[in-house]
Amino acid sequence: PQVRVTEGCAATTCEFDAAGSIASPLLVTGLNDGLSPRTYVVAVNAASTAVTTGTYDIVATLSEPAAGAVCDEALPLVPDVPLPGQGTAGGGVSSFACVTTSTGGQLFYDLRVPAGQRARVVATPAAGTTAPPVLRALESCVSASCITSVSGTSAGATLDLANDDLTPRAVKVSLGG
């Protein structure tokens, strides 16, 4: 099936969308990062012209976004200070920048790398986590491309950054699943 979420029936672009197979349920995550309530239209249809009909179960849930779910409200990532329990389920809308296979929510962090220094960001999945972490380093919240990225494994992900400049470098780090 394919799920499309739009701002109205006449909308020509999707706010959020996902396509998948019958074998696994689809999860479409949206985030209203504004101050006013929004109404969305959710459309479910066949993702293939070979199969044009079907019956689906659908459920919508509402939750508060996690801290750092919005890039402009990124959490500070302080060297040598762990941030335990960073759950991407409450994260913001998936970004496909650099890594097109990451479909879960994502969280954002601010990292300052001093001049001439290297930084290493490590994401280690908690017990029972099935989605491998995806780490991205972005120049800013509006970056369409990444400085670097890594798709992890069930053991985790490690992202290395070097700042060869003569001035400190501020980067946005996103953690997704």
Side-chain angles (χ1 to χ4, degrees):
Q2 184 169 29
V3 177
R4 293 186 175 117
V5 180
T6 65
E7 291 237 38
C9 293
T12 57
T13 60
C14 294
E15 292 288 314
F16 323 104
D17 66 345
S21 69
I22 298 293
S24 62
L26 285 178
L27 173 64
V28 178
T29 302
L31 176 65
N32 176 2
D33 56 2
L35 298 176
S36 301
R38 292 171 68 183
T39 300
Y40 295 106
V41 173
V42 178
V44 180
N45 64 289
S48 163
T49 56
V51 179
T52 59
T53 62
T55 302
Y56 306 98
D57 294 330
I58 187 169
V59 64
T61 58
L62 298 176
S63 61
E64 291 290 322
V70 178
C71 186
D72 289 331
E73 297 172 9
L75 298 171
L77 196 54
V78 179
D80 300 317
V81 178
L83 293 174
Q86 299 296 294
T88 59
V93 177
S94 299
S95 169
F96 293 108
C98 317
V99 183
T100 59
T101 57
S102 176
T103 58
Q106 67 179 332
L107 302 175
F108 293 92
Y109 305 90
D110 284 320
L111 177 63
R112 185 175 169 89
V113 183
Q117 297 286 313
R118 295 185 175 278
R120 173 170 276 182
V121 179
V122 178
T124 305
T129 300
T130 57
V134 174
L135 290 169
R136 297 174 179 88
L138 308 158
E139 292 288 348
S140 70
C141 290
V142 296
S143 297
S145 61
C146 295
I147 300 166
T148 187
S149 65
V150 62
S151 294
T153 66
S154 60
T158 301
L159 181 79
D160 289 310
L161 292 164
N163 180 8
D164 297 326
D165 295 337
L166 298 175
T167 58
R169 183 178 193 184
V171 297
K172 297 287 184 180
V173 174
S174 81
L175 166 64

